[in-house]
Amino acid sequence: MTITTKITARYVVGFHEGQHVLLENACVVYSGSTIDYLGYEYPGLADEVTHLGNALLMPGLIDLDALTDIDHLILDSWAGPEQAAGHQWSEDYFLNHRTDVFTASERQDIREYALIQLILHGITTYMPIASEVHSEWAESYDELVGMAETSRRFGLRGYLGPAYRSGVNVVPADGGRTVMFDVDRGREGFAGALRFLEYAAGLDDPLVNGVLLPCRIETLDLDLLKDTAAASAEHGTLVRLHALQGLVERELIMQWYGVPPLELIDQAGLLNERLLIPHATYIDRNPTVYGEDRGDLHRLASSGASIIHCPLTSMRYGSTLDSFNDYKAAGVNISLGTDSFPPDLIRGIDAGVQLAKILAGRNDAGDLAGYVDAATLGGARALGRNDLGRLQPGAQADMVAFALDDIRDGVHDDPLRTLTLNGAARQAILSVVAGRTIMADGLIEGVDLDYWRTRGQELFDKMRAGYTQRDTLKRPADELFPPVYARLER
């Protein structure tokens, strides 16, 4: 028997005539996995009714660069060049000492901890990202199968696949920066990725979708890029490729191939509507490249590729999209990602809006509606899903509610401005995916948050200690990651 559920809230972000609209004192009704009704007065009877009160109910947030790891930004986003060199692999480590910091079981604990964090921050659809720094190479088929099973248990909507690469960023003894390759490991990883596509298809579960997730463009040899493009075309599969995200990447690609990264992506056959590019900040218009548009925006837009803007993480590493509005005006589809901890797209939206104002020198450059669209509709478009990212009859019943009833939230004018400026995603109180409630009242059924708080810290401490063995100078973790203030011993 299908249960009909009605949820009411003071504010509802619905979808009407092709765009998001705001309804006050309204409701959403769904049965099974789809929405039946959006409006003010539902004419029928519901089996279950939830009154959220002073809350904002909106489409579930879509995070296409979602951290499924233990946070490393808290360690490495502060360093100068000398310390930062110790955050990469040394040449000696690559050649002689590669090892996994974590056991297979610990890796599954890390995934579970991270997925819990996604749910608590209002993410309903995600595409994972994890650091390869503390892995012996990259991600395995078995590791992603384990995460897929955890994701299914929680009820999240995932676009999954093992990350693979044929090279790794390395700091040689002279302190420079290069990439060292192990092409055979790249082929093994790619074979595992193709195997995972078969596994995901065999599940026949709409919440597990297989995708191809190669690592950073400079860590992939040209044959692996081309084979990824061919597999994407053959299977109709999405590809996410980290690219256009730094000057070192650009210099290496130019040195090896004589063309900039965007041209290489095109030559490899990847530049099309199935491609998602996290960051995409270093195109020709970036002030550190040419500082003027030489056609890259048009090329991105006309290809149908999507970018994944990660404003909070980019800001914390000292960069940003130089003009959200110009990318948008050119017709580039913009989706959002978190990329690091916290997986808080509300804080990410706030960071992006405020940075846009600073860069443009105008308050009206802060396109809040555009950023909310990116976190919902833009993500849905990148995935090729017109039934996600919106609350309207016939769409998937994916939604999240944020409480706005705390005095610390301040006053209300527009609820999205109140949430973005005064709040955070940790105010999520309800999360529904395909009609299943996966979080209510800030709690996940069957999950002991106190246990996972302790377990997460244990795993982080082990990760932090592991940096020493990869550092060329073998510096202790306390030297690589000094505290804000010197510690006063007892």
Side-chain angles (χ1 to χ4, degrees):
M1 178 180 175
T2 301
I3 301 296
T4 299
T5 302
K6 174 182 175 182
I7 299 179
T8 71
R10 179 176 176 184
Y11 304 109
V12 177
V13 176
F15 194 73
H16 179 68
E17 295 183 351
Q19 63 184 2
H20 287 322
V21 293
L22 183 66
L23 294 77
E24 191 161 356
N25 297 317
C27 68
V28 174
V29 180
Y30 57 91
S31 57
S33 64
T34 58
I35 296 172
D36 299 322
Y37 176 84
L38 166 76
Y40 294 103
E41 300 293 339
Y42 179 56
L45 295 176
D47 300 301
E48 297 179 355
V49 179
T50 299
H51 299 293
L52 297 176
N54 208 352
L56 171 67
L57 181 64
M58 63 182 293
L61 300 177
I62 299 175
D63 185 348
L64 297 184
D65 211 31
L67 182 73
T68 50
D69 205 341
I70 296 295
D71 180 33
H72 63 82
L73 181 145
I74 197 171
L75 295 173
D76 62 24
S77 62
W78 312 93
E82 188 173 324
Q83 282 176 317
H87 303 166
Q88 302 287 338
W89 287 16
S90 68
E91 187 173 0
D92 176 63
Y93 183 81
F94 176 91
L95 293 172
N96 302 308
H97 303 292
R98 295 193 320 233
T99 187
D100 286 318
V101 172
F102 298 109
T103 66
S105 176
E106 287 171 332
R107 287 299 297 170
Q108 290 306 314
D109 280 357
I110 287 172
R111 300 297 195 178
E112 186 157 353
Y113 172 85
L115 294 182
I116 289 168
Q117 295 284 0
L118 294 183
I119 296 170
L120 293 174
H121 286 83
I123 306 299
T124 56
T125 296
Y126 74 102
M127 191 178 284
I129 175 70
S131 172
E132 303 89 22
V133 168
H134 43 266
S135 296
E136 187 270 337
W137 190 249
E139 295 173 347
S140 70
Y141 166 83
D142 290 336
E143 184 176 346
L144 264 292
V145 167
M147 185 168 76
E149 291 306 311
T150 302
S151 185
R152 295 178 77 195
R153 171 162 49 89
F154 284 146
L156 280 163
R157 189 185 301 278
Y159 284 77
L160 311 176
Y164 55 93
R165 61 180 177 179
S166 49
V168 60
N169 283 280
V170 166
V171 176
D174 63 9
R177 177 86 173 269
T178 189
V179 177
M180 299 184 72
F181 287 89
D182 185 336
V183 174
D184 289 342
R185 294 302 301 270
R187 306 311 304 179
E188 291 174 13
F190 181 59
L194 295 180
R195 184 182 171 199
F196 187 86
L197 293 182
E198 296 179 1
Y199 160 80
L203 289 178
D204 195 25
D205 183 343
L207 298 186
V208 178
N209 304 273
V211 292
L212 293 171
L213 301 179
C215 296
R216 303 164 64 112
I217 187 173
E218 76 273 20
T219 65
L220 300 153
D221 66 84
L222 184 56
D223 286 340
L224 194 52
L225 284 171
K226 290 181 176 179
D227 288 347
T228 297
S232 171
E234 178 183 352
H235 298 282
T237 303
L238 298 172
V239 177
R240 190 191 64 197
L241 175 65
H242 282 72
L244 313 171
Q245 63 176 334
L247 292 178
V248 172
E249 168 210 300
R250 184 179 177 88
E251 291 166 3
L252 290 172
I253 297 298
M254 290 287 289
Q255 176 186 331
W256 297 336
Y257 303 108
V259 296
L262 188 60
E263 175 64 30
L264 183 67
I265 291 169
D266 199 2
Q267 289 183 8
L270 284 164
L271 192 59
N272 54 52
E273 71 283 353
R274 294 185 300 278
L275 180 66
L276 290 73
I277 308 175
H279 307 302
T281 49
Y282 287 84
I283 61 174
D284 53 20
R285 60 172 290 126
N286 187 285
T288 62
V289 181
Y290 296 123
E292 63 180 15
D293 187 7
R294 298 188 177 184
D296 282 356
L297 276 183
H298 173 74
R299 192 172 197 174
L300 279 171
S302 61
S303 71
S306 297
I307 71 166
I308 307 172
H309 180 29
C310 304
L312 187 61
T313 293
S314 293
M315 179 181 73
R316 288 174 166 179
Y317 283 114
S319 69
T320 188
L321 208 62
D322 64 278
S323 177
F324 178 91
N325 288 341
D326 284 356
Y327 277 68
K328 178 182 170 183
V332 177
N333 182 51
I334 306 173
S335 58
L336 292 190
T338 51
D339 191 39
S340 64
F341 194 86
D344 189 329
L345 283 179
I346 303 303
R347 292 179 68 184
I349 288 169
D350 187 28
V353 166
Q354 309 315 326
L355 286 168
K357 295 179 186 179
I358 294 170
L359 290 170
R362 302 193 330 268
N363 283 347
D364 62 351
D367 183 5
L368 179 54
Y371 268 91
V372 175
D373 285 353
T376 53
L377 300 171
R381 182 179 176 187
L383 298 174
R385 297 288 300 266
N386 61 11
D387 61 341
L388 297 180
R390 69 209 68 199
L391 299 183
Q392 71 172 160
Q396 285 289 292
D398 288 16
M399 61 197 78
V400 61
F402 297 98
L404 294 175
D405 55 0
D406 193 303
I407 189 171
R408 289 166 292 190
D409 298 326
V411 298
H412 293 199
D413 176 36
D414 183 290
L416 284 161
R417 289 199 185 103
T418 296
L419 178 62
T420 302
L421 291 172
N422 303 344
R426 62 177 60 187
Q427 291 167 226
I429 54 172
L430 176 74
S431 188
V432 177
V433 178
R436 173 185 168 185
T437 298
I438 65 171
M439 183 267 286
D441 298 321
L443 299 173
I444 305 168
E445 186 176 358
V447 172
D448 183 344
L449 296 181
D450 287 334
Y451 167 81
W452 284 106
R453 183 186 299 108
T454 300
R455 184 60 175 146
Q457 187 65 48
E458 292 171 349
L459 294 164
F460 171 80
D461 291 343
K462 186 173 184 180
M463 179 192 74
R464 183 178 185 271
Y467 278 86
T468 297
Q469 64 181 321
R470 295 187 294 270
D471 178 26
T472 301
L473 302 177
K474 298 295 188 289
R475 288 168 286 186
D478 286 347
E479 185 177 338
L480 288 171
F481 312 113
V484 176
Y485 294 115
R487 299 186 188 277
L488 181 63
E489 302 299 332
R490 293 178 64 88

